[in-house]
Amino acid sequence: MIRFGWIIGFFCLSFFGIAQQNETYERIAQRFGRLWNTVPQEKVYLHTDKYLYSAGETIWLKAYMVHASNHRPLQQSKFVYVELLDSASIVKQRLKIQRTKACAYGSMKLPADYKPGEYTLRAYTYWMLNAGREFLFHKKIRLGNLIDTRPEEPTKEKQKRKPAQVKDDFDLQFFPESGHLLTGDFQSIAFKAVGNDGLSLSVSGAVYNQQNEEVATFVTGHRGMGKLILSPRINERYYALVRDENGREKQVDLPTPEAVGVALQLTYNRGKINLKITNNTSLPADSLYLMVHSRGEVLLLSPLNNYTGQLSEHLLPAGIISFSILDASERVWCERIYFSRTFADPTINMIADRSEYISREPVQLSFLIQKPDSTPLPANFSLSVTDSYHVQKDTLNNDIRSYLLLSSDLKGYVEAPQEYFADNSLQTREKTDLLMLTQGWRRFNTADIVKGNYPKNEYFLEAGQALTGKVLNLFNKPVRNSTVVSMNRYDNKVKLTTTDSLGRFYIDGIEFPDSTSITLKATTRSKIADVEIVPDSDFFPTPPSHLPKQLVNKESLSDEYLRVSREKYYNDGGMMVINLDEITVSASSVKKEDGRDFYYSGMADSEINAERLAKFPTMRLIDVLATVPGVMVFGDNIRIRGSMESPTLMIDGMEAIDSSEIMYLNAADVEEVQVFKGSSAAIFGVRGANGVIAITLKKGITPNRISSPSIAHIKPLGFHVPDAFYVPRYEVDSIRQQKKVDLRTTIYWNPDVETDADGRAVVTFYTADNPNNYRVEMEGIAADGSICRYRGELKRR
């Protein structure tokens, strides 16, 4: 969409060559329109209940999926992937969260044995991978642990690994305004200094010409960034001698001055954006065009009549704005990005039913969300209420506004992005402009779009779950028209399809949660030879390598917070981790009638013996397990009550790969089943953390470990089934009077709060026992793309 009439004073449409100009307008407008409407990019933002955690706690999260240009809720991709990576960028957990409306929510349980340190949450859709890994969402969290105090034992890999040799150096880069250092005029040159940890450094120095004459000095103004003014001469080269805050010195060359080119300078003054264009080409002014776009939406495309002019900032949308100079042949000569601070935030009011609250008291919060003109604003938001004493305010990560308007459109790491939204002062504007001048990459490549060159979409739009793969014959050649049958153990549905000319199959229209086992069977008309079915493996992007460890040198979690979290973990039934001295355990094993014996025999909490199993000879073993107290079976997913993960399965004394090995066993095949949970599972060591089910087969029976190559048993990543955030119901006297201390630090979490037709929403919950004030944080997206964000406080006594 092209908008005219926004230019004040100097830039106006010329009637000279209007047909050719209109043709240019239309052509470029269509190319940007295709990017904006036909193949829209996505953004994902993750709101969590907090960013400081203890092992044993749960990360509560919500993912917002929006159009990358207008930030309206986008119902395009069906799933969001959320990963938890440790300080070595190893994926510790991965969730596939199903979208409902334009959001997706879930939770991650942090095991008691997670090591303390800095972790990263990464969120994305498959479709987002087309824009590049740099545009996936990242959020740093800090994890503490007073539950597991065992010293870390060095693994063989760590013993073999040599200490990394970190170069004691820093990096300094210079960025001429709009990209080119032109001769013959004064030009602004920004710079940025970072250490080998990827974080900013303060530096100072001077610029010299080839005659070693000092021509400029500079010093950082904000987070390693600053700028200097230079008038480059033709055939002259420049270098800088710089010293960092640690006393290290180095010499850095400036970009080579160019005699031919176009440069654009922008300055802000009293609501106006002043533009100055330097044209060191043979092209006349009216053959050049000024183009302005916001996140791929063209706002202005007009020929030049002069080399200076003004724009009113209030006519621009908030966020990153691209200013470019191009010619009739669609060559982009230069580009300058600018951050517009025309925020039109909704008005959000919170009304609490009391001025302050006591322990275990009900709280009712009423929210009213309105547009700037005071009309109701339909919105969906998530709400977090935390103990403000124990849970520090997050000032290092993005909030929803800084991410959508700033960080998500820049290719590179932005330190403390919320600082650029602190206020609208000239100092904050200057800091933000330094970021614009030094951020060399952005989401929308103007030069490519103008030429009609779009990013290749190598990754599909995931509108639902599907199974893919290929079928091969004895000679490893593709088999066409092979029938492929899938059986989903979650709902026992059977789907059929046939392979194409390349031997590929595609099965869609299925739904299954995580840990679901699926059987695939390939058949052909030929009865002579078998075929092999090869399912495609799940694909996930490689871990990020460009994220510095921003929390390393920050104050760690307080011991008091960790002690409170540990006590809550134990009160809620968490398993204690104790560091014991080495001991030797001896016991007499119980032999079976056929002479077999296992070290764990006779130590189970409960068991199903042969006599009981004989009563259900035709029943599947997994269905028999569902009758054992404390054992829960969902489809082919097995859980022992109190654990979120699958128990270890032992078959005849050997650990099974997964539950698929017992799917085809009947009760008649089994001699005995033993269930270990809690302290009895300690005999299995770390394998017993989620309980153990030990199965003894009758003599001569073997588990289904080997099958035909035409059959494949797979367990792809399925969708995450979210837990509900538990809030005590203290309106019941017996619950309110319990002596068990309520030590919640996340007091309330609600990922799906919807306003009514009047823009109102009401939530209720109960306070905890610690008498600390509460921090209320609300984030969300309105139907029109407005960014909703509220910070408030509740008083306790």
Side-chain angles (χ1 to χ4, degrees):
M1 177 173 136
I2 295 191
R3 303 173 183 172
F4 300 108
W6 285 19
I7 295 294
I8 299 177
F10 296 95
F11 299 116
C12 60
L13 294 176
S14 169
F15 290 98
F16 179 78
I18 192 69
Q20 179 182 353
Q21 290 161 9
N22 283 338
E23 202 173 291
T24 302
Y25 303 155
E26 187 66 25
R27 185 168 60 249
I28 293 177
Q30 288 177 355
R31 289 170 182 169
F32 273 86
R34 178 188 169 192
L35 175 77
W36 200 65
N37 294 312
T38 309
V39 286
Q41 294 186 21
E42 295 174 326
K43 291 180 182 179
V44 167
Y45 171 76
L46 213 60
H47 181 205
T48 60
D49 60 318
K50 52 192 175 188
Y51 86 109
L52 302 175
Y53 295 91
S54 167
E57 289 191 312
T58 298
I59 300 174
W60 300 97
L61 54 89
K62 177 177 181 176
Y64 289 92
M65 308 162 71
V66 301
H67 192 294
S69 293
N70 58 30
H71 297 154
R72 290 174 182 168
L74 193 62
Q75 299 187 31
Q76 188 170 262
S77 291
K78 182 70 173 178
F79 300 100
V80 176
Y81 295 85
V82 179
E83 298 166 342
L84 179 67
L85 302 95
D86 64 13
S87 58
S89 293
I90 296 174
V91 177
K92 305 293 287 184
Q93 294 188 50
R94 178 181 287 119
L95 301 180
K96 181 175 184 176
I97 308 180
Q98 193 169 12
R99 171 180 55 78
T100 57
K101 294 176 285 190
C103 62
Y105 50 86
S107 59
M108 276 187 177
K109 182 72 175 177
L110 299 171
D113 61 352
Y114 270 15
K115 299 301 179 185
E118 181 173 306
Y119 288 72
T120 300
L121 285 169
R122 179 168 74 165
Y124 58 91
T125 66
Y126 264 8
W127 186 251
M128 286 173 62
L129 297 177
N130 293 304
R133 287 190 305 141
E134 296 83 355
F135 294 109
L136 308 186
F137 175 86
H138 299 89
K139 179 174 184 173
K140 297 285 188 176
I141 65 170
R142 167 69 80 175
L143 178 68
N145 193 339
L146 288 183
I147 300 171
D148 185 358
T149 58
R150 296 173 297 173
E152 184 176 2
E153 297 181 6
T155 62
K156 292 181 179 179
E157 290 75 11
K158 289 184 178 180
Q159 290 172 348
K160 293 178 181 178
R161 191 186 305 157
K162 295 181 179 179
Q165 299 296 319
V166 180
K167 188 178 181 181
D168 186 21
D169 196 6
F170 65 95
D171 179 68
L172 177 69
Q173 296 185 61
F174 290 94
F175 303 90
E177 185 173 9
S178 75
H180 302 280
L181 186 58
L182 294 186
T183 60
D185 199 359
F186 285 97
Q187 194 165 353
S188 178
I189 305 173
F191 62 88
K192 185 173 185 178
V194 295
N196 51 32
D197 60 357
L199 298 175
S200 59
L201 279 176
S202 295
V203 299
S204 60
V207 177
Y208 300 86
N209 59 20
Q210 289 174 308
Q211 292 72 44
N212 298 321
E213 298 170 332
E214 182 181 301
V215 294
T217 59
F218 59 89
V219 63
T220 48
H222 178 67
R223 293 197 178 272
M225 299 178 290
K227 63 182 178 180
L228 58 92
I229 303 297
L230 186 68
S231 178
R233 297 181 179 179
I234 297 177
N235 300 323
E236 186 75 87
R237 295 297 306 271
Y238 300 89
Y239 68 92
L241 294 179
V242 59
R243 176 193 292 263
D244 77 348
E245 61 190 41
N246 299 314
R248 296 173 296 188
E249 297 181 340
K250 70 187 307 182
Q251 178 176 319
V252 180
D253 291 334
L254 271 68
T256 303
E258 303 175 35
V260 178
V262 179
L264 173 63
Q265 298 179 37
L266 301 181
T267 55
Y268 172 85
N269 185 30
R270 299 175 181 270
K272 299 290 193 298
I273 304 170
N274 299 308
L275 301 92
K276 178 185 176 183
I277 298 166
T278 300
N279 181 9
N280 286 4
T281 72
S282 59
L283 298 171
D286 58 7
S287 67
L288 298 175
Y289 298 84
L290 171 68
M291 184 175 71
V292 182
H293 77 82
S294 169
R295 297 185 290 273
E297 180 186 6
V298 177
L299 307 175
L300 174 77
L301 180 60
S302 174
L304 302 181
N305 284 333
N306 209 320
Y307 291 129
T308 57
Q310 282 186 339
L311 276 171
S312 291
E313 186 187 45
H314 78 273
L315 296 172
L316 301 175
I320 295 177
I321 309 294
S322 168
F323 289 78
S324 303
I325 303 297
L326 57 151
D327 60 25
S329 66
E330 300 174 352
R331 174 181 177 178
V332 176
W333 284 90
C334 64
E335 182 180 15
R336 165 75 148 91
I337 57 174
Y338 174 85
F339 191 80
S340 172
R341 309 187 70 84
T342 53
F343 308 126
D345 296 336
T347 301
I348 302 174
N349 292 309
M350 181 187 78
I351 301 175
D353 59 339
R354 290 179 175 85
S355 59
E356 58 182 12
Y357 297 86
I358 62 174
S359 173
R360 305 191 180 192
E361 188 172 29
V363 178
Q364 183 179 86
L365 301 180
S366 299
F367 291 90
L368 175 62
I369 305 180
Q370 296 177 312
K371 299 177 183 179
D373 62 1
S374 298
T375 58
L377 181 62
N380 179 275
F381 61 90
S382 45
L383 181 67
S384 172
V385 182
T386 56
D387 184 317
S388 59
Y389 176 77
H390 289 301
V391 181
Q392 301 171 24
K393 183 179 179 182
D394 185 0
T395 60
L396 297 175
N397 288 296
N398 280 285
D399 60 20
I400 191 169
R401 182 172 64 167
S402 68
Y403 183 73
L404 293 181
L405 293 181
L406 183 68
S407 301
S408 62
D409 289 326
L410 298 176
K411 187 177 181 180
Y413 178 70
V414 179
E415 279 187 69
Q418 294 185 51
E419 290 182 351
Y420 302 103
F421 295 79
D423 51 46
N424 278 332
S425 66
L426 290 177
Q427 292 83 355
T428 300
R429 283 182 174 274
E430 181 64 23
K431 293 175 183 177
T432 311
D433 201 48
L434 286 175
L435 183 66
M436 298 297 99
L437 289 167
T438 56
Q439 204 70 36
W441 301 91
R442 68 279 311 186
R443 175 184 291 270
F444 298 97
N445 189 312
T446 302
D448 284 345
I449 302 172
V450 166
K451 290 286 188 180
N453 300 325
Y454 305 102
K456 293 183 179 179
N457 294 325
E458 300 177 356
Y459 301 96
F460 58 84
L461 181 64
E462 195 174 14
Q465 290 174 286
L467 302 172
T468 60
K470 58 187 175 183
V471 177
L472 305 174
N473 62 19
L474 183 63
F475 303 100
N476 208 34
K477 300 296 183 182
V479 179
R480 64 183 302 175
N481 296 325
S482 172
T483 300
V484 177
V485 182
S486 75
M487 182 175 181
N488 182 341
R489 297 290 178 183
Y490 169 61
D491 52 16
N492 292 322
K493 287 186 177 179
V494 176
K495 299 279 289 187
L496 288 84
T497 189
T498 56
T499 56
D500 60 18
S501 60
L502 299 176
R504 301 284 305 171
F505 67 86
Y506 180 87
I507 301 174
D508 61 357
I510 55 177
E511 285 193 351
F512 54 91
D514 195 23
S515 300
T516 299
S517 293
I518 298 174
T519 300
L520 297 171
K521 168 70 175 175
T523 60
T524 63
R525 296 178 182 176
S526 173
K527 305 296 183 181
I528 301 176
D530 205 352
V531 293
E532 179 184 7
I533 186 167
V534 184
D536 290 335
S537 300
D538 287 329
F539 170 82
F540 303 106
T542 56
S545 58
H546 66 289
L547 298 176
K549 293 176 174 55
Q550 66 180 37
L551 303 179
V552 168
N553 298 320
K554 302 296 179 182
E555 184 179 350
S556 61
L557 283 80
S558 69
D559 285 344
E560 184 175 355
Y561 169 75
L562 295 177
R563 283 194 294 269
V564 168
S565 299
R566 179 180 59 185
E567 187 176 349
K568 182 180 185 299
Y569 171 77
Y570 291 148
N571 287 348
D572 293 344
M575 184 177 293
M576 185 175 295
V577 181
I578 302 175
N579 183 24
L580 296 176
D581 294 331
E582 184 175 339
I583 60 174
T584 300
V585 178
S586 60
S588 298
S589 61
V590 180
K591 285 193 174 183
K592 305 297 177 188
E593 293 181 0
D594 58 8
R596 291 178 295 169
D597 65 317
F598 307 109
Y599 65 91
Y600 49 76
S601 297
M603 303 176 66
D605 291 287
S606 57
E607 64 178 44
I608 309 176
N609 57 27
E611 182 180 353
R612 183 179 171 189
L613 288 165
K615 297 179 180 179
F616 314 101
T618 60
M619 184 179 289
R620 292 194 312 156
L621 174 61
I622 195 169
D623 296 325
V624 176
L625 289 175
T627 67
V628 179
V631 176
M632 300 174 290
V633 177
F634 310 96
D636 60 356
N637 298 310
I638 306 172
R639 297 287 187 275
I640 290 180
R641 193 179 307 279
S643 174
M644 301 294 296
E645 304 295 331
S646 299
T648 297
L649 295 177
M650 305 291 290
I651 302 179
D652 286 346
M654 298 188 63
E655 185 175 348
I657 298 174
D658 56 32
S659 62
S660 65
E661 294 195 27
I662 66 171
M663 286 297 105
Y664 302 97
L665 292 175
N666 290 326
D669 301 324
V670 180
E671 180 180 327
E672 184 182 51
V673 177
Q674 299 177 78
V675 178
F676 302 80
K677 50 189 176 181
S679 59
S680 69
I683 193 173
F684 297 92
V686 294
R687 296 182 301 172
N690 300 302
V692 175
I693 297 177
I695 300 164
T696 303
L697 301 177
K698 289 183 177 179
K699 195 172 182 179
I701 303 295
T702 57
N704 183 35
R705 285 181 174 147
I706 301 176
S707 62
S708 165
S710 64
I711 299 176
H713 303 289
I714 61 174
K715 192 177 285 187
L717 183 65
F719 62 79
H720 168 67
V721 180
D723 294 325
F725 182 83
Y726 173 71
V727 179
R729 307 298 298 181
Y730 287 133
E731 72 271 19
V732 180
D733 290 343
S734 60
I735 298 178
R736 187 177 65 256
Q737 295 169 5
Q738 286 180 349
K739 293 184 179 180
K740 179 181 176 181
V741 183
D742 186 346
L743 297 173
R744 284 173 292 152
T745 54
T746 296
I747 310 302
Y748 182 68
W749 166 258
N750 191 332
D752 190 17
V753 183
E754 196 91 28
T755 59
D756 60 19
D758 297 323
R760 298 181 183 276
V762 179
V763 299
T764 59
F765 56 91
Y766 285 83
T767 60
D769 285 342
N770 282 329
N772 306 318
N773 291 342
Y774 294 159
R775 181 180 298 110
V776 180
E777 297 188 354
M778 182 267 272
E779 292 187 330
I781 293 291
D784 64 357
S786 297
I787 299 170
C788 302
R789 176 179 167 274
Y790 175 84
R791 299 290 183 270
E793 187 180 51
L794 297 177
K795 298 289 186 180
R796 284 291 315 273
R797 60 180 171 89

